[in-house]
Amino acid sequence: MVTIQLQKLIDFVADVFAHSESSPEEAKRIATYLTTANLTGHDSHGVIRVPVYIRWKKMGSVVPDQTVEVVVDTPSLAVVDGKFGYGQTVTPQAVRIGIDKCKASGLAAVALRNAGHIGRVGDWAEMAAAEGLVSIHFVNAAGSLLVAPFGGVQKRLSTAPYCVGIPRKGQDPIVLDFATSIVAEGKVLVASRGGKKLPKGALVDHDGTLSEDPAVLYGPHDRDGPRDHTKGTGAIRAFGEHKGSGLAFICELLGGALTGTGATAPNRRFANGMLAFYVDPKVVDTSNFFDGEISRYADFIRATRPMAGIDAVLIPGDPERKMRAERTANGVPLPDDTWAAIVACAREVGVSERSIQQATA
């Protein structure tokens, strides 16, 4: 395991993207969002994605420094085309449109289509919450067949994230952010590169056998080589049996079909679609009841007596807050295999040996 200090990791990752045709501003933005995912403990959406993003860039699947196109524009609704730009560039543009419309109207919806990988969806809920807005996000990934629907063994769904963000006065927002599969694909990637092992039965092979072996999803692969989910014989399982599978299906229809990105299908160009709703609590909550009731109910939940083996009952966002504080202070731990893959990618795009050495100095 290698541990890298926060700013050094951001600077190094930014150097990688700056060597791959991104402007300095975009490179720093991508690096910051990826590192933030690691800070919150979501390593699956963190810097482990660097080699994947660079591979997509070389394939032409993602395009640097894009400005979104607003296809439909009404006072309370917009349809925004990301034109396959990096998600960390086009998604904040789309979210900003939603925030501005919501502040003007009290309620807004934005359909984002054709975005590159948008990373940790919680980032966009936090962006809205910082402006005092509630937000709800339905996301899919066209072309990303990864998950078997309940009762099946074949890939038919993306990991189809769902996210809700709720602002709080003077406190961190409450953010619920999860893939509708037992694990996000990035967690399989992390496990395949020497990180945290998968939960029991997270994967299902073509014959119905449950597994925790990343090779079920990726097929045989070299330690430092690429991971290709089209090469495996199995799939990730949806969480919660029919409930997670059903929610994933809805995310595909709303985040994919309705936005124009398309529900996931074989041989479709990778893109995230996101349908997001924004609500201004100040317009709804004329008696200023909402924030106090959040505090009362959060305290009520946390005061639950924990069952054996559980330290405390938490609410959404509690684990991320703790991890963010710890890793900001002590650095971001990365498995050796993960760091080796990132360094190999950096060398491939021309990052200097001095920059590589400075990252861990």
Side-chain angles (χ1 to χ4, degrees):
M1 189 76 73
V2 59
T3 299
I4 303 178
Q5 295 304 305
L6 171 60
Q7 194 56 53
K8 288 185 176 181
L9 185 57
I10 291 173
D11 291 344
F12 177 70
V13 172
D15 199 11
V16 175
F17 285 98
H19 277 80
S20 191
E21 300 183 27
S22 286
S23 66
E25 294 78 15
E26 178 174 76
K28 183 69 171 289
R29 184 167 52 247
I30 296 171
T32 300
Y33 277 120
L34 291 181
T35 304
T36 297
N38 287 104
L39 285 183
T40 57
H42 294 280
D43 296 330
S44 59
H45 287 64
V47 297
I48 195 170
R49 296 277 178 169
V50 171
V52 179
Y53 282 18
I54 297 300
R55 186 171 76 247
W56 284 344
K57 159 61 180 59
K58 290 180 178 179
M59 293 167 55
S61 298
V62 67
V63 183
D65 290 297
Q66 288 287 62
T67 299
V68 301
E69 176 186 357
V70 180
V71 180
V72 175
D73 190 10
T74 78
S76 61
L77 184 146
V79 178
V80 178
D81 195 319
K83 299 187 294 187
F84 300 97
Y86 278 108
Q88 292 78 7
T89 291
V90 300
T91 314
Q93 294 176 47
V95 174
R96 171 47 59 188
I97 291 169
I99 289 170
D100 291 344
K101 287 185 180 297
C102 183
K103 286 190 169 184
S105 302
L107 176 69
V110 175
L112 172 63
R113 66 172 64 152
N114 300 331
H117 187 256
I118 66 175
R120 186 178 75 96
V121 185
D123 283 329
W124 318 122
E126 288 174 1
M127 181 176 170
E131 302 273 354
L133 304 181
V134 171
S135 63
I136 304 168
H137 308 256
F138 297 89
V139 182
N140 93 312
S144 184
L145 285 171
L146 290 164
V147 180
F150 175 63
V153 297
Q154 293 176 293
K155 301 165 184 166
R156 289 292 185 270
L157 302 159
S158 67
T159 55
Y162 172 77
C163 179
V164 178
I166 299 173
R168 301 195 62 189
K169 294 176 183 176
Q171 299 186 54
D172 291 334
I174 293 171
V175 176
L176 175 70
D177 176 17
F178 57 77
T180 49
S181 48
I182 290 179
V183 293
E185 187 266 337
K187 294 191 185 300
V188 187
L189 180 62
V190 168
S192 78
R193 294 202 182 280
K196 184 178 179 181
K197 295 185 182 302
L198 296 175
K200 186 173 179 60
L203 308 177
V204 59
D205 214 338
H206 67 286
D207 60 358
T209 302
L210 302 187
S211 178
E212 304 80 53
D213 182 358
V216 167
L217 187 67
Y218 296 129
H221 48 268
D222 296 331
R223 172 181 166 179
D224 297 328
R227 306 294 191 258
D228 185 348
H229 62 78
T230 68
K231 304 298 184 185
T233 57
I236 307 173
R237 296 173 64 211
F239 85 88
E241 299 184 332
H242 63 285
K243 297 178 182 179
S245 184
L247 183 54
F249 183 64
I250 296 302
C251 287
E252 291 285 355
L253 297 185
L254 296 182
L258 184 57
T259 63
T261 303
T264 197
N267 303 316
R268 179 165 273 170
R269 182 175 179 176
F270 177 89
N272 277 141
M274 180 171 77
L275 181 66
F277 298 94
Y278 302 89
V279 181
D280 189 343
K282 294 192 298 296
V283 177
V284 179
D285 179 32
T286 57
S287 59
N288 297 316
F289 176 74
F290 185 49
D291 199 63
E293 184 66 358
I294 293 173
S295 295
R296 182 202 68 77
Y297 196 62
D299 291 344
F300 183 57
I301 294 296
R302 288 190 178 114
T304 308
R305 184 169 59 252
M307 62 190 299
I310 301 296
D311 293 333
V313 175
L314 307 177
I315 65 169
D318 282 347
E320 287 84 355
R321 277 184 284 275
K322 180 180 178 182
M323 186 66 73
R324 191 190 297 254
E326 179 183 311
R327 290 186 171 182
T328 297
N330 301 322
V332 176
L334 299 172
D336 291 338
D337 286 0
T338 297
W339 181 240
I342 296 169
V343 169
C345 176
R347 288 182 174 131
E348 192 175 307
V349 299
V351 173
S352 70
E353 290 300 317
R354 184 168 180 268
S355 179
I356 295 170
Q357 293 168 4
Q358 285 178 333
T360 55

